[in-house]
Structure formats: structure tokens, C-alpha cells
């Protein structure tokens, strides 16, 4: 609690978030630790909180090393997505998305208890991620579920198998807006399974000042833009406001 979240960075206690604001249940059954940019304007504006070296020796260095490496993987993945959209490989760099991006690592612990009550509880209630892509590592404990068709009611949920040594990749809302729904953000949730669960999440989101608007190659007269242009920072800020306002 000494490192309780400040500007979303640091520790977030159990039930402090509710990722699906429409639910009447208590907050999500998880606790987490966020850390973000290591250099640049965002790092100065939103400094990370770190436990002391005396309490956790080498922990900060380990986390920073992981951050740098997974950021490199995320950049390469965005280059592949750009090529898949018939764009230049460095498209997302040219539009400013990767100019000091909002890239955040989140360490998550789910207690996993299945609580008997009239209201269903979630490790993470149903949501899509806010940014471009998410890279997820898990400890192999089940619980993560995805809905392939989020527009269809009722939602059909499928368990996501954990494959050792591989990332689970989610498409985020910003990518859906850029591609006019060609790449759809992944609706997902985490259900308690009676066992403690850990995961490491890397959110690669655009620079807050990046204007996210439909790509010309993804719209036409018969398929107009579904989403208005928006600054990435404004969209993400509003999503976080709803997440914490209803917890």
C-alpha cells in the first residue's frame, strides 16, 4: 500500500477496478502493479514507483529489462500489422504512435476463489483493451476467456489455452478504430477457477497526442468510417475514468 497507484502507476488493490462498468457486482477480484515508460516525456510526467532495493533486490532492474525487450517485440509486431494492411512497415512510427508510446507493464495476481453469492464475481470482467496491441504471459492456470463475436448476443465464451513460451496477443480498441473494424479488439475476461493465477501484461498504446483516424485503405463510399477521429490520450483517459468511477 506504500506504493498505491499514482497516475495509474504503482499498486492497485483487490476490487479497486471494474472493467465492465455495466455490472452491479463489486470490483474485479485481482490486484496489480503497473509500471510504464523508462525515458522520454511520459517518464518524466508520470514517474514509476518502485519498491526499495533493500526489500526486493534486483527487482527493478529485472522489470526494466523485461520492459525494454517486450517493447521491442511489440514494435516488430506493429510492423507486421502495418505490412498486413498494405502499409509501409514503419507506418505507426510515421504517424507518431510510437513516438514516446504509452507502453505499460502490468503484473497481475488473481486470488482465484469462487465465491458463492447471487452476484457473479470475475477476476477481470468483460472488456477490450484500449490501445494498439497487448502481449500477455500467463502461468498456465486457466481462467482467461475470449468472445470471438462481441456484436452477437448472448456472448459465447471460449477458454484460451496457455502455451508455454508464447505470448497471447490481443488487438486493442485503437487498432480497431484505425482499421475500421477489419482488426477487431478482443473482448475477453478472466473467471475464477478456484486456484491462484498470475499473469504479466504489456499494453502497447499510442502516444497520447497521436490522432487515431480510419486508414484510407480501410474505408470507402460503401464502407465509411465507423469511428470519428480521436486523440489516443483522450480515448484512454475516458476508459480509465469509467473503470475506476464504477469500482
Amino acid at each position: 500500500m506504500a506504493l498505491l497507484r499514482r497516475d495509474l502507476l504503482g499498486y492497485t488493490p483487490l476490487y479497486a477496478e471494474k472493467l465492465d462498468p455495466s455490472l452491479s457486482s463489486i470490483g474485479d477480484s485481482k490486484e496489480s502493479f503497473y509500471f510504464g515508460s523508462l525515458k522520454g516525456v511520459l517518464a518524466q510526467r508520470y514517474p514509476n514507483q518502485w519498491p526499495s532495493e533493500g526489500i526486493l533486490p534486483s527487482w527493478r532492474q529485472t522489470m526494466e529489462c523485461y520492459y525494454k525487450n517486450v517493447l521491442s517485440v511489440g514494435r516488430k509486431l506493429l510492423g507486421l500489422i502495418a505490412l498486413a494492411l498494405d502499409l509501409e512497415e514503419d507506418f505507426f512510427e510515421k504517424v507518431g504512435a510510437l513516438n514516446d508510446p504509452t507502453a505499460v507493464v502490468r503484473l497481475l495476481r488473481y486470488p482465484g476463489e469462487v465465491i458463492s453469492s447471487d452476484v457473479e464475481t470475475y477476476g477481470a470482467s468483460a472488456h477490450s483493451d484500449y490501445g494498439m496491441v497487448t502481449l500477455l504471459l500467463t502461468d498456465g492456470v486457466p481462467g482467461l476467456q475470449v468472445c470471438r463475436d462481441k456484436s452477437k448476443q448472448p456472448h459465447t465464451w471460449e477458454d484460451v489455452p496457455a502455451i508455454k513460451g508464447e505470448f497471447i496477443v490481443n488487438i486493442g480498441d485503437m487498432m480497431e478504430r484505425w482499421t475500421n473494424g477489419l482488426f477487431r479488439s478482443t473482448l475477453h475476461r478472466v473467471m475464477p477457477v478456484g486456484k491462484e493465477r498470475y499473469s504479466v501484461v504489456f499494453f502497447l498504446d499510442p502516444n497520447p497526442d497521436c490522432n487515431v483516424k480510419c486508414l484510407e485503405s480501410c474505408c470507402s463510399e460503401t464502407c465509411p468510417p465507423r469511428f470519428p477521429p480521436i486523440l489516443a490520450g483522450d480515448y484512454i483517459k475516458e476508459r480509465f475514468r469509467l473503470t475506476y468511477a464504477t469500482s
Side-chain angles (χ1 to χ4, degrees):
M1 294 302 291
L3 299 176
L4 190 65
R5 69 174 186 260
R6 184 177 64 240
D7 294 322
L8 301 176
L9 299 174
Y11 174 70
T12 300
L14 285 166
Y15 309 119
E17 295 180 346
K18 190 192 296 183
L19 291 169
D20 183 352
S22 69
L23 295 176
S24 59
S25 60
I26 60 175
D28 296 341
S29 179
K30 66 178 186 299
E31 57 182 342
S32 62
F33 190 89
Y34 270 115
F35 59 92
S37 300
L38 305 179
K39 60 182 181 179
V41 174
L42 292 180
Q44 295 176 1
R45 188 182 303 167
Y46 306 109
N48 290 311
Q49 301 192 75
W50 299 107
S52 70
E53 186 73 10
I55 296 174
L56 289 175
S58 301
W59 191 79
R60 175 176 176 176
Q61 295 95 310
T62 303
M63 294 299 104
E64 289 181 338
C65 181
Y66 180 78
Y67 183 97
K68 293 173 184 175
N69 280 281
V70 76
L71 176 58
S72 176
V73 174
R75 286 177 177 273
K76 291 176 182 176
L77 180 59
L78 287 176
L80 294 174
I81 290 175
L83 292 174
L85 294 167
D86 292 325
L87 302 169
E88 294 182 8
E89 189 173 358
D90 60 352
F91 168 81
F92 291 105
E93 295 179 16
K94 287 182 175 178
V95 297
L98 296 177
N99 176 24
D100 201 7
T102 308
V104 175
V105 168
R106 189 175 202 188
L107 310 174
L108 281 158
R109 172 186 172 266
Y110 300 90
E113 296 102 332
V114 180
I115 301 172
S116 298
S117 70
D118 295 333
V119 180
E120 190 166 23
T121 57
Y122 299 88
S125 48
H127 66 287
S128 56
D129 295 336
Y130 311 154
M132 295 185 288
V133 292
T134 302
L135 300 176
L136 170 67
L137 288 176
T138 77
D139 61 358
V141 174
L144 177 63
Q145 298 180 328
V146 296
C147 174
R148 291 180 185 269
D149 189 353
K150 59 186 178 182
S151 63
K152 185 179 180 180
Q153 295 287 348
H155 289 145
T156 300
W157 295 97
E158 302 175 40
D159 293 325
V160 179
I163 302 174
K164 190 173 182 180
E166 295 189 7
F167 285 111
I168 295 167
V169 180
N170 283 338
I171 297 295
D173 294 341
M174 295 288 96
M175 191 62 68
E176 179 167 345
R177 297 177 78 99
W178 255 314
T179 64
N180 209 25
L182 179 63
F183 286 12
R184 304 188 71 188
S185 58
T186 313
L187 185 67
H188 58 287
R189 68 184 185 181
V190 176
M191 301 299 293
V193 294
K195 187 177 181 180
E196 189 178 51
R197 180 178 186 271
Y198 287 89
S199 64
V200 181
V201 191
F202 176 71
F203 301 102
L204 183 47
D205 301 347
N207 179 285
D209 295 327
C210 180
N211 187 26
V212 179
K213 60 181 180 180
C214 181
L215 299 169
E216 291 183 7
S217 60
C218 293
C219 61
S220 63
E221 289 186 6
T222 57
C223 184
R226 295 169 51 200
F227 309 99
I230 192 170
L231 290 181
D234 291 344
Y235 178 82
I236 292 171
K237 189 182 299 181
E238 176 61 13
R239 288 293 301 270
F240 272 117
R241 185 190 69 79
L242 293 172
T243 296
Y244 289 105
T246 55
S247 60

